[in-house]
Amino acid sequence: MATDKLGDMRLFTSAATLGSLSAAGRKLGLSPAAASARLAKLEASLQTRLFVRTTRQLRLTDEGRVYLSHCLVALQAIDDGEAALQAGCAAIRGKIRLSASTDFGLHKLSPWLDEFTARHPDVRLSLTLTDSISNLVQDDVDLAIRFSEPDDGTLVARRLAPMCRVLCASPDYLARHGEPSTPEALSAHRFIVLVTSSGPLNEFHFRKAEATWQFTVPMAQAWETNDGTLARRWALDGRGIVRKTLWDAADDVRAGRLKILLSDYVDKEPGVYAVRHRTRYMVPRVRALLDFLIDRFAQEASVCPDIGTCRV
């Protein structure tokens, strides 16, 4: 099969997955005009229309859906074959595409990746930082670091460490507004809320012994952002109470820049996970990074018992 035909197939499958020919072109380094020309050439060679195109929508034809199913099988087989060949090589090389939350990615993961690439200089990284859940197929992600266990059966998750989320505020904020001693007392306070593609993360759950509480932050009274790093910065500036993972907050808590609130009521969560798509062959470079992250999380937990046990 000619290389350009493979490229055309990859462009077609990406366009079908992303719902946008221009987005698929950008992913493959093509201009909108070049992507359109490549698709037109593919349709001409097949003597059929693969998409119904309007100014606002790209929709597969019946023939396009049939061709897509075969393309996905063929391209996966080629990718698996190349990965199997690489598995026989001792060298760790190539690009790894990662996804992580903004605050954790900037302040924890990025220095760790520097350490990993120093060990494996032939590895190249593509790191996407987002506080929304990335789509591993559409975003072409090899490994995602998530602070929750996925309930998607197409994904494989490896637990990396314990995890819990805590409410934090700066000493300056607490000096001006007081420290809440119970979940009910939160109604008198100001909040900073992270907003993701799924909506605002403004529902807080608490547990003590057998009792449980839920508090919902009124969004009209909250500072809100889609960036976890900015949310932490606002908290450090005394703008209000913020909810963070203990992995994100630990350094500020140890340094006295933030204080954990309602520590007796923390509701522990399943953990931190490395997530990958079930159908993707785990190439040696991704396996090496996963092994490195397992070790790095364990080291971090060992030097900070509060993180290691989520004891606050």
Side-chain angles (χ1 to χ4, degrees):
M1 185 180 294
T3 301
D4 61 343
K5 187 61 171 291
L6 280 175
D8 293 343
M9 290 170 62
R10 292 193 186 279
L11 175 66
F12 165 66
T13 56
S14 293
T17 302
L18 297 172
S20 167
L21 182 57
S22 60
R26 286 194 299 272
K27 180 178 175 181
L28 299 176
L30 299 173
S31 68
S36 182
R38 291 279 293 268
L39 180 60
K41 184 183 72 171
L42 178 61
E43 289 180 323
S45 70
L46 297 171
Q47 298 184 343
T48 189
R49 292 186 67 188
L50 299 173
F51 291 108
V52 175
R53 280 166 280 182
T54 68
T55 56
R56 307 178 72 178
Q57 187 180 35
L58 188 71
R59 179 170 55 83
L60 283 167
T61 63
D62 290 341
E63 294 80 5
R65 280 190 286 273
V66 172
Y67 189 58
L68 176 64
S69 65
H70 290 282
C71 283
L72 291 172
V73 172
L75 292 172
Q76 187 64 57
I78 291 169
D79 290 343
D80 286 350
E82 292 176 351
L85 288 176
Q86 192 194 57
C89 302
I92 304 299
R93 62 167 65 92
K95 180 175 286 188
I96 304 176
R97 296 171 176 84
L98 290 161
S99 174
S101 61
T102 56
D103 209 2
F104 180 79
L106 284 171
H107 298 102
K108 287 288 186 186
L109 184 60
S110 180
W112 293 356
L113 293 177
D114 289 341
E115 183 181 340
F116 177 77
T117 53
R119 298 183 189 179
H120 304 288
D122 292 330
V123 169
R124 302 183 308 280
L125 296 174
S126 174
L127 176 59
T128 298
L129 299 182
T130 175
D131 288 303
S132 296
I133 299 296
S134 57
N135 184 306
L136 271 60
V137 174
Q138 290 184 5
D139 299 334
D140 197 19
V141 173
D142 295 312
L143 207 63
I145 308 303
R146 294 185 179 174
F147 290 104
S148 61
E149 185 175 12
D151 56 6
D152 185 341
T154 67
L155 303 178
V156 176
R158 170 62 189 263
R159 189 174 186 270
L160 299 172
M163 207 280 289
C164 57
R165 299 177 197 268
V166 293
L167 295 184
C168 307
S170 69
D172 174 63
Y173 172 86
L174 296 174
R176 288 182 287 114
H177 299 278
E179 181 175 342
S181 57
T182 64
E184 292 89 346
L186 292 173
S187 58
H189 285 268
R190 301 177 182 180
F191 290 89
I192 300 157
V193 174
L194 184 67
V195 179
T196 71
S197 59
S198 301
L201 304 182
N202 64 332
E203 290 190 359
F204 304 155
H205 298 272
F206 305 92
R207 179 185 300 274
K208 187 174 183 181
E210 298 302 317
T212 60
W213 293 263
Q214 177 177 313
F215 177 78
T216 301
V217 176
M219 292 304 292
Q221 302 174 25
W223 283 48
E224 56 185 277
T225 177
N226 66 345
D227 188 303
T229 300
L230 179 58
R232 183 165 62 91
R233 187 179 305 161
W234 281 349
L236 291 170
D237 290 342
R239 304 292 183 183
I241 296 173
V242 69
R243 186 175 185 241
K244 300 292 292 181
T245 72
L246 193 53
W247 285 93
D248 289 335
D251 289 344
D252 290 320
V253 171
R254 287 198 295 264
R257 294 185 293 265
L258 290 176
K259 181 177 182 181
I260 293 175
L261 310 177
L262 302 174
S263 58
D264 290 341
Y265 296 85
V266 169
D267 194 5
K268 295 179 182 178
E269 300 184 37
V272 187
Y273 292 85
V275 180
R276 63 182 180 88
H277 201 271
R278 186 175 296 279
T279 61
R280 284 207 171 187
Y281 187 94
M282 186 179 286
V283 294
R285 60 182 178 271
V286 177
R287 166 56 68 186
L289 178 60
L290 178 58
D291 291 342
F292 170 82
L293 289 173
I294 291 170
D295 181 63
R296 203 64 187 81
F297 270 95
Q299 289 181 39
E300 186 79 5
S302 70
V303 299
C304 181
D306 286 348
I307 285 181
T309 62
C310 266
R311 183 179 65 248
V312 295

